[in-house]
Amino acid sequence: MLLQLTISNFAIVSFLELDLRPGMTSITGETGAGKSIAIDALALALGERADADSVRPGADKADISARFRIDKLPRVKTWLSEQELDEQGECILRRTLSREGRSRGYINGTPVPLSQLKALGALLINIHGQHAHQALQKSDYQRGLLDAYAGHHRLIEQVSRQYQQWRQLSNERKQLQSEQAQWQAQRQLLEYQVAELDELALAEDEFPTLEAEHKRLANGAELLNDCQLALNVLADSEETNALQLLRQGLKVLIELNQMDNRLGPVQEMIESSLIQLEEGHGELSRYLDRLELDPERLHEVEARLGKVMELARKHHVQPVALHDFHQEIKIRLAEMDHNDSRLQELDDEVEQSKALFLQAAERLSQSRQRYAQSLNQQITQSLHQLSMEHGRLEITVTADNGAGYSPLGIDRVEFLVSTNPGQPMSPLAKVASGGELSRISLAIQVITAQKVETPTLIFDEVDVGVSGPTAAVVGKLLRQLGDSTQVLVITHLPQVAGNGHQHYFVSKDSADNDTQTRMQKLDEQSRLQELARLLGGNKITSNTLANARELLVS
């Protein structure tokens, strides 16, 4: 329930603070006084789009805050908890708007995006505007009214979830089908390339190994000759070799070290070099023993290298990268095979998902049809009370074709009406006059509002086009609604205003080139004066006061 609305520097309001109570609150005032300004300001606090021109002239920013009691609103408390926002017994929504157009929103003092203000606001207040009867002519709006009356939010969530899953799978299948047409042109080429490279069966890092082996085999004779020459120089020559000379030098150093032990380190280095030379000679000898000239193997290596080089050129890659290229196109071909299988799976999944969507949509459709029957009777009865004695309303729920499937189901909802005896049921927009449309809209809004879970309802001049005894019925309907729900009614009809549990009067003061809107709560005597003004204009007589006293419901 809305407890308090505070407005600062908004439009022609310098400062306004309203303390609100349960029940029906009537709001009246002279034309142009700004009766709807408080509702406009509240809409900003609920996340509606802002205009920098809304800031009061001469002020830097507008500031609007709305305080709600939420201790009996589990959906609101759950939402606040899910958003990790404070969820005590009260909740404060605040909106600031600078003259430069910058806007900020707050929930319980925490800065939030406007989308969160709007989401929370939808759980707290439902505003019925004076132009609602125009929206009533649209099929989507009619369906929304029926769903709100029936409380279909859970069923719609299920339908929407199944619809989104179906569309997601359908889009995936469509994408794969599109890609498959392109794959067909590539598949034969890839299959040929993979088969050719499979036949080559080039192992990872095989190409560098082949290159090294080819270099060794191609230079085999030179390696034999030069290795033998190196062995002769190192140790095998009978005349002079490095090993022999090194041993002679070591022998001399040993004798010299006995004369001067400072030559000891030199002796150790020569001894170490002698050991390394002997080991090197041994390794070289063993290498030479294993070294063979194999012309047949050389021919095999050259042939394989040639094949590798040929395929590398063919596929425009470096020979060393041919193995990786082979693996890549094998993966691409495997993906195509997988996508073919996935496409077959998707055919089944899409059909199953569509069936689940249609099952959920059918449950929603059946529920809509049941509630449509109930709503038909209530609205028709209400129309009779609103001086449309022969008025009948019928809500049709028909399954649309596949093109009409949506997250909201498969139904086309249409309000049909007959306002005169013998007149066939026809679409609302084609039959009802402006005044009739206003009354039909009002009847629908009052009845559906009783089922809406939001704790505060605002009716902004929804009684346009209504007068006389009909207006009195409207007032009674709104007061009955106020017995169970907080209702704020902006009206120009005394028959409606007199039914309020409390009454605010809106006035506009102009002085010193400054204009301000004010709202004051009226006591019983002031209410009589205001109802008399609404009845007879600015000239209040004993007759208008007497009539006003009859209209005032205590």
Side-chain angles (χ1 to χ4, degrees):
M1 185 184 78
L2 179 62
L3 296 176
Q4 188 178 69
L5 177 64
T6 305
I7 306 170
S8 177
N9 295 322
F10 177 75
I12 58 175
V13 175
S14 175
F15 180 81
L16 181 65
E17 186 173 88
L18 295 178
D19 293 314
L20 298 163
R21 299 173 58 190
M24 173 182 169
T25 299
S26 301
I27 301 175
T28 62
E30 296 179 353
T31 302
K35 295 188 293 297
S36 296
I37 286 181
I39 307 305
D40 294 339
L42 179 60
L44 287 184
L46 300 175
E48 292 298 325
R49 295 184 62 180
D51 186 346
D53 293 339
S54 298
V55 179
R56 178 179 169 80
D60 294 329
K61 69 175 183 178
D63 194 323
I64 303 107
S65 64
R67 183 164 60 91
F68 298 85
R69 193 175 77 185
I70 62 170
D71 55 332
K72 297 181 180 180
L73 303 177
R75 289 183 63 196
V76 173
K77 296 176 72 174
T78 299
W79 187 93
L80 289 170
S81 177
E82 289 174 349
Q83 304 302 317
E84 297 183 353
L85 295 166
D86 184 25
E87 44 112 1
Q88 301 300 320
E90 293 186 357
C91 175
I92 298 177
L93 275 63
R94 180 175 171 232
R95 179 86 172 273
T96 63
L97 176 64
S98 71
R99 183 160 295 283
E100 293 76 22
R102 292 190 299 272
S103 174
R104 293 182 179 178
Y106 304 86
I107 296 178
N108 292 334
T110 301
V112 296
L114 296 185
S115 59
Q116 285 193 318
L117 273 183
K118 199 163 189 175
L120 179 56
L123 300 177
L124 293 168
I125 287 184
N126 195 339
I127 299 178
H128 300 264
Q130 55 184 300
H131 302 296
H133 62 280
Q134 297 175 0
L136 182 60
Q137 302 177 58
K138 299 178 181 179
S139 178
D140 289 346
Y141 187 79
Q142 294 173 3
R143 180 177 56 199
L145 284 174
L146 176 59
D147 286 336
Y149 171 79
H152 279 155
H153 57 274
R154 290 184 180 176
L155 277 175
I156 290 176
E157 285 176 2
Q158 295 172 5
V159 171
S160 178
R161 184 168 58 252
Q162 295 296 344
Y163 176 84
Q164 297 299 342
Q165 184 176 0
W166 170 44
R167 297 310 304 167
Q168 182 179 353
L169 290 170
S170 297
N171 289 336
E172 183 183 351
R173 181 176 64 176
K174 185 177 180 180
Q175 179 67 23
L176 284 180
Q177 288 172 336
S178 175
E179 293 174 353
Q180 190 182 46
Q182 302 173 7
W183 295 337
Q184 295 306 322
Q186 299 179 17
R187 181 184 293 276
Q188 290 184 348
L189 176 60
L190 285 177
E191 288 176 341
Y192 172 76
Q193 291 175 336
V194 168
E196 191 175 41
L197 290 170
D198 281 346
E199 183 179 356
L200 177 65
L202 182 67
E204 187 176 7
D205 296 329
E206 182 183 353
F207 180 75
T209 303
L210 284 173
E211 280 193 313
E213 185 179 5
H214 177 264
K215 188 175 183 179
R216 183 176 66 253
L217 291 171
N219 295 281
E222 186 176 352
L223 284 169
L224 282 171
N225 293 333
D226 289 350
C227 283
Q228 187 59 59
L229 177 60
L231 287 173
N232 290 337
V233 171
L234 292 174
D236 291 353
S237 175
E238 295 180 357
E239 296 178 359
T240 303
N241 59 68
L243 189 59
Q244 180 183 359
L245 294 174
L246 192 57
R247 285 171 179 165
Q248 290 176 1
L250 180 60
K251 182 178 179 182
V252 173
L253 279 172
I254 291 172
E255 293 176 353
L256 292 174
N257 187 38
Q258 292 176 355
M259 301 177 193
D260 186 352
N261 58 11
R262 287 180 300 176
L263 291 172
V266 178
Q267 177 186 335
E268 292 176 358
M269 286 189 289
I270 299 302
E271 288 175 342
S272 176
S273 298
L274 182 61
I275 294 172
Q276 291 182 348
L277 183 59
E278 290 173 342
E279 291 178 350
H281 176 267
E283 287 294 326
L284 186 57
S285 296
R286 286 188 289 274
Y287 169 79
L288 190 58
D289 291 340
R290 294 192 300 269
L291 186 62
E292 295 180 0
L293 297 179
D294 189 347
E296 185 176 348
R297 176 56 183 165
L298 175 60
H299 176 73
E300 292 175 358
V301 171
E302 286 179 338
R304 186 157 180 79
L305 276 175
K307 187 64 174 177
V308 172
M309 300 291 286
E310 176 189 350
L311 291 179
R313 286 192 300 270
K314 184 175 182 179
H315 297 298
H316 306 288
V317 297
Q318 294 296 322
V320 71
L322 188 61
H323 174 271
D324 289 342
F325 173 76
H326 181 202
Q327 303 308 309
E328 289 172 5
I329 62 174
K330 284 178 68 175
I331 291 173
R332 287 170 58 191
L333 188 59
E335 287 176 346
M336 289 184 180
D337 293 337
H338 171 74
N339 287 337
D340 286 344
S341 300
R342 177 60 182 153
L343 197 53
Q344 294 176 357
E345 293 174 358
L346 278 173
D347 288 337
D348 294 334
E349 290 181 17
V350 167
E351 291 306 313
Q352 291 174 4
S353 182
K354 181 180 179 180
L356 291 174
F357 161 69
L358 291 175
Q359 288 175 11
E362 181 61 28
R363 289 194 296 271
L364 175 60
S365 181
Q366 291 175 0
S367 182
R368 281 172 173 160
Q369 292 172 13
R370 289 195 303 271
Y371 279 97
Q373 294 299 320
S374 171
L375 193 53
N376 287 342
Q377 298 174 5
Q378 294 187 56
I379 294 176
T380 297
Q381 183 179 357
S382 182
L383 292 180
H384 296 168
Q385 295 175 341
L386 293 172
S387 301
M388 294 179 66
E389 293 81 1
H390 304 290
R392 290 187 299 123
L393 186 127
E394 180 180 329
I395 302 173
T396 63
V397 181
T398 56
D400 214 333
N401 57 28
Y405 294 170
S406 78
L408 296 174
I410 60 176
D411 299 323
R412 175 177 176 79
V413 175
E414 189 171 27
F415 284 21
L416 305 177
V417 66
S418 173
T419 58
N420 297 302
Q423 183 183 41
M425 305 296 290
S426 300
L428 196 62
K430 295 182 179 180
V431 176
S433 65
E436 290 172 333
L437 194 59
S438 295
R439 278 179 279 174
I440 294 170
S441 174
L442 182 61
I444 293 173
Q445 290 182 68
V446 170
I447 291 171
T448 57
Q450 299 175 29
K451 289 294 190 78
V452 174
E453 296 181 13
T454 49
T456 300
L457 303 172
I458 297 177
F459 294 89
D460 185 4
E461 296 192 17
V462 295
D463 49 14
V464 173
V466 175
S467 61
T470 304
V473 175
V474 170
K476 291 179 181 178
L477 290 175
L478 292 173
R479 184 177 177 90
Q480 290 174 7
L481 191 58
D483 289 337
S484 58
T485 306
Q486 185 184 41
V487 178
L488 278 64
V489 181
I490 298 174
T491 183
H492 63 282
L493 297 178
Q495 297 93 330
V496 174
N499 280 277
H501 294 90
Q502 50 269 334
H503 191 153
Y504 278 92
F505 177 70
V506 183
S507 62
K508 181 170 64 175
D509 299 333
S510 299
D512 300 328
N513 296 322
D514 183 37
T515 301
Q516 292 195 28
T517 289
R518 306 179 189 279
M519 292 182 70
Q520 65 183 76
K521 187 176 181 182
L522 303 181
D523 57 22
E524 183 173 352
Q525 186 59 39
S526 298
R527 289 190 69 180
L528 287 173
Q529 292 289 326
E530 172 59 6
L531 293 177
R533 184 191 68 80
L534 292 172
L535 284 167
N538 292 328
K539 186 177 181 180
I540 299 176
T541 66
S542 58
N543 288 333
T544 55
L545 281 172
N547 291 335
R549 188 169 286 105
E550 292 180 358
L551 295 176
L552 183 60
V553 179
S554 58

